[in-house]
Each structure stands twice: as C-alpha cells, then as structure tokens.
Amino acid sequence: MSAFLSSSGATIRRDSAHEGICNSGLRGRPHAVASGKRSRLSMVLATSKPKLTSAIELREMIASLVMFDEFRRESTQPGFCSLLVAVLDAISKGDRVKAAELYSSLWVVCCGLEGKGWFEQIIHIIYTAGGGNPFTDVVQSVDKIPRHLIDILAADLNILEELAYFDTKQLKEWIGSDLLPDFVHVTGFRDVLPQKADQALDKLRNGRNWGAHTLEIATVVKGMGVGPTGEYYGLYCTGGALSGVVSRTEALSTPAARFVGVEEIAQKLYQNTESLLSGFKAQNALLYGPPGCGKSSLIRSLILKYGEDGLRIVEVPKHELGQLPNLVFTLSKLPQKFVIFVDDLSYTEFEAEQMREGKAGLEGSLRGSCENVVIYVTSNRRHPAISSIMDETEEKKAFSQRFGLTLQFPSADRYQYRAIVEQLAKDEGIELDLVELNRRSLLWAFGHTNQKDANGLSGRTARQFIDFLVADEALRGLGQDQGVIDWGDTPGTPWYACIEEDGLFKDGVYEKEKELNRSLNNGSAQ
C-alpha cells in the first residue's frame, strides 16, 4: 500500500503485500508467542487485547512507540508523558511512596482545573505533538509517505489506542493504595482544536482500531499544523520564537467586530485575505489613517473570521523587523496561511538605526513573498518614515509602494462617530434616549478629561465611551454615586463649562463647523 497526501486529501493504492496487514488493524498489543517473547510481526497482526498484568508490561508497550517520541523526551516541566513513565518506573522498582506522589501529580495534569483528561491527553499527542515529533515531521515535510512508515505509524496508533482505553484503576492496584483518587473523564480539550480536526477526532473517540485511520489522521495533521500554530489562531513573535496569544476557544468566544463607516475598506481586506486562503496570489497591505479609526481592530478581526479556515495572525514588533525574512522562510514551510501583522509602524528621528534595519527586513520580505504568507502593516502615516530619516522623498514613496494594497482610513466626523456609538450601545443593550446618548458621547469625546486636548472623534473613543457608560449606569443602579462622573446636565458644571469653553457648544447648541475644523487639524493623515 502506498499513500499520497495533498491539500485535497489522501489517495491510497493497495497491493496484496499490505492488504492483509491494513485490514487486520495493524498492531494492537501483542500476543505472547511460544517463546514468551513478543515479535514485531505478532504486534502488527494481533487483534485481541488481553488485560495488562504489570507496570513493566505497560512500560514496555510505551517504549515500543517509534514515531511518537514524547515518552522518551527529557522535560524540565513534568507533563503527562514524563509523569506516566515515572509512575511506571517507580512501581517497577517497588517504591510505593514515590509512585503515589507521581500518581497524584499525574492526576492533577489529567483531571485538575486545567486538565485535559486521560483520553484527551493521548489525542493531544496525536494532533498537536507539543511542537513536533517524528510523526508530524513526516506528514508535514513530504507529499508521499514511504510505505514502511505507514505501517509504523499505524502500529504506533494502535499502541496509543490501547493506552487511551487503559483502565487507570490498575495503576492504583499496582501501587497498592486505595487512598489515591480515580481518574475522571474530561472533555473540554476538544474545544481548542479546529473543527475539521475535531470531526476526525470523533472517529477515534467513538471507534477502535485507530491504525485503520492512519492516512486520514496524517492528512488532518498535515493541514492543521503542530505546536503553537496548531493550537493558536493569534500568535506573537519575539526573538525568532512563536508564542500563542489567542487560542481557538478564545477566538470563537469573541463577539464579531463591527466596522461602521469603513465597510468598503474592510471588504477589500477580507477579499485579499480570502485570496490568500484560496491559494491565489494575495497582496501585502498597508492600512493608514488617524489613531483610533479601527486599523488594528480590522486586522485582528481576521482571527475570528478566518481562523477555522487555517488563517493565523502573527504579530511582530517593529524592533524585530530585521528578522522578518527568517520568519517568512519558517512560516513558508508550514501548512497554514499566515498574516504577519506589524502594528503602528512609524519611526522618529531618534530611531534612525532601528528604522534602517526594519526597512531592510520588511523590504526583503516584501520582495520575497511566498504563497502562504502576506504582511499587513498599520501606520498613522502614508509613509511611515519621517523625512529626516529618509532624505529622499522618492525613497519614502518607493517603500510605501511595495504594498500592493493600500487602504486609507478617513478621520471620523460627528455623523460617523454617532453611528458607531449608537451601534455599540445597541450591542451592549444600553437603553438611553438617542439625543442624550449623542450628547454624552460628545461630552466624552471632547470634554471628559476637562482638558482641551481630549480624545476627539474616533471608533476607539466611541468604544471607550460605551465601556464607561455601561459601568457608570451599573454603579448608579447600585446606588453608588461616589466617583461617578456628573454628565453636566446644566450650565455651570465642569463638563458643560469645558465644552462651552472649547467652542463646540454655544449656549448649549452644537456648532458643526468648529468641530470639523478641529477634526481636520487633529486627525488628518500625513
């Protein structure tokens, strides 16, 4: 039998030499042969699974795993695999006290507050591999799995199956203690896996003979990835290492973001991202505009919108841009699609050297882009570098023009700001007269700090206002008036005076022209 793995799935060719092995279920736990020894052939062809009789027997079975090497690794932080091996070794040596201590630690890992459960720990080994093992190395590095490795993988899966269904009460019996707690069933871990992987998982949860699903499991793991990129939809890169930030569970529990007034801009970015996911050539994108207009939020919204489709967002700080080509090369070898996110890219005259390194790294990555990676950058300026650093205007333009997709976010006016506030208030269930809601939102935007350099009109300001309003109304409902801001309902209060002094209200009447002039002066993109 030979197998081919591609993005569309696995194609199997059978021949007579391997037909019998694959149909038999490959290796379960072996029968004892006449000599009392277990041969590899007997392990492959075994179908019945007699009850394990000793810790040594279970330890030998685990030691025979070839492609899943988690049980052989040395770890400074004990996990399921290392603790289980340590428990069995302590039992074999007759050290009941040490075995009981290790058993308790193993129980916490499996059944504690953040435990995955015994069964799901085995699934974790198969599907996420904690950063890789020989199994994941094979399925992610080759399109065609060698014939002999298919048998090895299937045999290992059958060993893991028996371990998953192992009666954990036997551990207590071997230790000789009735005081130790029993392992309990935990199912929460399945929520961190992508939907496609979870569907394949159910075939393992609900059936036996895992080795028969070798090719299907390999195909899913190839598409899902391992380590941080397999478990997390949002990641952060620092020092060349990827760390998880937003898990699948967190991403799916986040409410969908709304982008009022910039719907066309959002749609352009969505279309470009969908081109990436569909295997077409996608453009690197520069999103620029005034602070608080939703540039970064739009990019982060891609985690929820496309995470289940294999998209990963990797945020890179600007001081690490010099290493960007290395990161792009690393990501190009992985199965998912990646958006490298550089937030608020701009440089001051004191950051000339950092800017030159970042420019070299970013331009090198933009030139050498690959099919599964794009770069999305946000900036308050059309040209992120100031003139004193990049002396030539044409050089500044050349840098910005390397982005195939350039999206300009406009400064928010009163009407867009009001629309954002009203939509957010509706989402939060705030029942307040729209006229009063609008009045308070303007007070928040231009006067809540009692200073002339207040936040101004933006989506960020609207979000801050609604968050404060929810808390303010809740405190008032509880009768806790101390520390709650007076909205300045009458002339003479600090808030009303601040607005009046700022010139946006005259005798309590809003003057649009002065507000628009202020917005243009404070929020225009450079």
Side-chain angles (χ1 to χ4, degrees):
M1 177 178 69
S2 59
F4 300 86
L5 296 182
S6 65
S7 59
S8 61
T11 302
I12 307 173
R13 268 206 320 261
R14 297 186 181 275
D15 55 50
S16 57
H18 291 78
E19 187 80 27
I21 292 179
C22 291
N23 287 340
S24 69
L26 299 168
R27 178 181 58 182
R29 201 174 58 79
H31 288 301
V33 295
S35 63
K37 301 291 185 179
R38 295 188 175 99
S39 69
R40 190 160 188 86
L41 179 60
S42 68
M43 296 174 74
V44 171
L45 297 179
T47 55
S48 63
K49 299 181 175 68
K51 184 177 180 179
L52 291 162
T53 59
S54 69
I56 293 178
E57 192 176 3
L58 178 58
R59 182 70 176 86
E60 290 176 348
M61 186 181 75
I62 292 174
S64 66
L65 289 167
V66 178
M67 305 300 287
F68 297 91
D69 65 351
E70 284 78 2
F71 293 95
R72 299 195 296 271
R73 297 178 188 172
E74 294 184 2
S75 176
T76 56
Q77 184 175 2
F80 172 79
C81 296
S82 59
L83 284 172
L84 177 57
V85 168
V87 169
L88 296 174
D89 288 344
I91 294 173
S92 300
K93 295 176 182 178
D95 191 342
R96 294 176 56 191
V97 174
K98 185 65 174 179
E101 292 176 349
L102 292 167
Y103 179 100
S104 298
S105 299
L106 181 63
W107 187 95
V108 172
V109 169
C110 292
C111 308
L113 188 60
E114 298 182 359
K116 301 179 178 70
W118 179 281
F119 188 96
E120 299 295 338
Q121 289 284 356
I122 308 301
I123 299 298
H124 182 78
I125 294 172
I126 297 173
Y127 277 89
T128 59
N133 58 24
F135 165 63
T136 58
D137 291 344
V138 168
V139 299
Q140 293 201 71
S141 61
V142 298
D143 292 326
K144 178 182 177 181
I145 301 180
R147 179 179 301 179
H148 67 284
L149 290 182
I150 295 174
D151 293 344
I152 295 295
L153 289 172
D156 278 3
L157 287 173
N158 278 341
I159 286 180
L160 291 175
E161 175 193 350
E162 185 163 357
L163 184 58
Y165 287 100
F166 170 70
D167 183 1
T168 54
K169 292 182 180 180
Q170 288 187 254
L171 285 178
K172 291 175 56 177
E173 295 176 3
W174 294 339
I175 294 173
S177 173
D178 293 330
L179 299 176
L180 295 171
D182 292 329
F183 285 82
V184 296
H185 185 57
V186 179
T187 59
F189 174 66
R190 66 183 302 165
D191 292 335
V192 309
L193 293 173
Q195 184 176 5
K196 293 179 180 179
D198 220 23
Q199 291 172 349
L201 258 180
D202 285 335
K203 294 186 178 181
L204 304 187
R205 289 193 181 97
N206 302 326
R208 303 298 291 263
N209 195 6
W210 289 9
H213 302 291
T214 300
L215 294 175
E216 183 176 2
I217 292 172
T219 301
V220 172
V221 171
K222 182 179 179 68
M224 190 183 72
V226 297
T229 62
E231 294 188 63
Y232 292 89
Y233 289 0
L235 303 104
Y236 192 81
C237 181
T238 180
L242 293 175
S243 57
V245 177
V246 181
S247 68
R248 175 179 184 263
T249 304
E250 293 169 325
L252 297 183
S253 63
T254 302
R258 296 178 181 270
F259 299 97
V260 180
V262 292
E263 292 87 351
E264 291 186 5
I265 294 175
Q267 188 57 37
K268 290 179 181 179
L269 191 68
Y270 292 155
Q271 289 177 349
N272 189 64
T273 306
E274 289 169 5
S275 296
L276 173 70
L277 292 170
S278 300
F280 298 106
K281 190 67 175 179
Q283 302 297 319
N284 298 302
L286 172 65
L287 290 68
Y288 74 97
C293 62
K295 305 181 297 293
S296 301
S297 297
L298 178 58
I299 294 177
R300 292 191 176 99
S301 73
L302 302 176
I303 296 176
L304 172 61
K305 191 173 182 66
Y306 300 112
E308 286 288 276
D309 297 322
L311 183 70
R312 303 292 183 264
I313 307 295
V314 181
E315 185 170 355
V316 179
K318 69 177 183 179
H319 63 269
E320 300 243 355
L321 290 183
Q323 301 300 317
L324 202 56
N326 294 333
L327 175 61
V328 171
F329 178 78
T330 299
L331 298 180
S332 69
K333 306 298 182 181
L334 300 179
Q336 299 96 337
K337 308 293 184 180
F338 293 91
V339 169
I340 294 179
F341 172 33
V342 184
D343 193 21
D344 193 20
L345 182 62
S346 60
Y347 295 97
T348 68
E349 58 185 337
F350 304 104
E351 299 175 309
E353 184 61 31
Q354 186 182 103
M355 181 268 158
R356 292 188 182 95
E357 293 179 359
K359 175 177 176 290
L362 189 58
E363 285 194 334
S365 300
L366 292 175
R367 290 194 192 100
S369 59
C370 53
E371 293 182 356
N372 70 325
V373 181
V374 292
I375 301 172
Y376 289 173
V377 172
T378 70
S379 178
N380 295 338
R381 303 184 179 95
R382 174 69 174 85
H383 306 294
I386 63 175
S387 298
S388 61
I389 297 179
M390 299 182 74
D391 297 329
E392 299 296 331
T393 302
E394 291 302 318
E395 185 181 1
K396 287 173 56 179
K397 289 183 178 180
F399 176 70
S400 301
Q401 289 170 353
R402 293 196 180 279
F403 295 92
L405 182 62
T406 302
L407 302 174
Q408 180 182 7
F409 285 68
S411 300
D413 58 21
R414 178 194 177 191
Y415 303 101
Q416 183 182 358
Y417 177 69
R418 177 176 181 175
I420 297 172
V421 167
E422 291 180 358
Q423 182 61 63
L424 292 175
K426 181 180 179 181
D427 294 342
E428 295 290 345
I430 296 175
E431 297 180 359
L432 192 65
D433 179 76
L434 291 181
V435 174
E436 177 62 14
L437 179 69
N438 185 41
R439 187 185 73 84
R440 291 191 185 187
S441 70
L442 291 173
L443 285 167
W444 178 270
F446 294 118
H448 78 280
T449 59
N450 204 23
Q451 299 175 0
K452 290 187 178 181
D453 57 342
N455 289 350
L457 303 177
S458 71
R460 179 184 298 157
T461 302
R463 179 74 264 176
Q464 293 167 345
F465 164 67
I466 291 298
D467 289 343
F468 178 84
L469 188 61
V470 169
D472 183 42
E473 292 298 314
L475 289 174
R476 289 180 185 275
L478 295 173
Q480 300 179 14
D481 292 335
Q482 289 186 348
V484 178
I485 292 179
D486 185 349
W487 288 107
D489 296 329
T490 58
T493 62
W495 279 48
Y496 192 99
C498 176
I499 294 295
E500 194 171 45
E501 178 186 352
D502 203 42
L504 296 176
F505 280 79
K506 184 177 182 180
D507 298 328
V509 178
Y510 169 77
E511 292 187 342
K512 178 181 178 182
E513 183 178 353
K514 290 185 177 180
E515 179 196 319
L516 291 177
N517 288 336
R518 176 174 182 159
S519 296
L520 290 174
N521 292 333
N522 290 348
S524 297
Q526 299 179 17

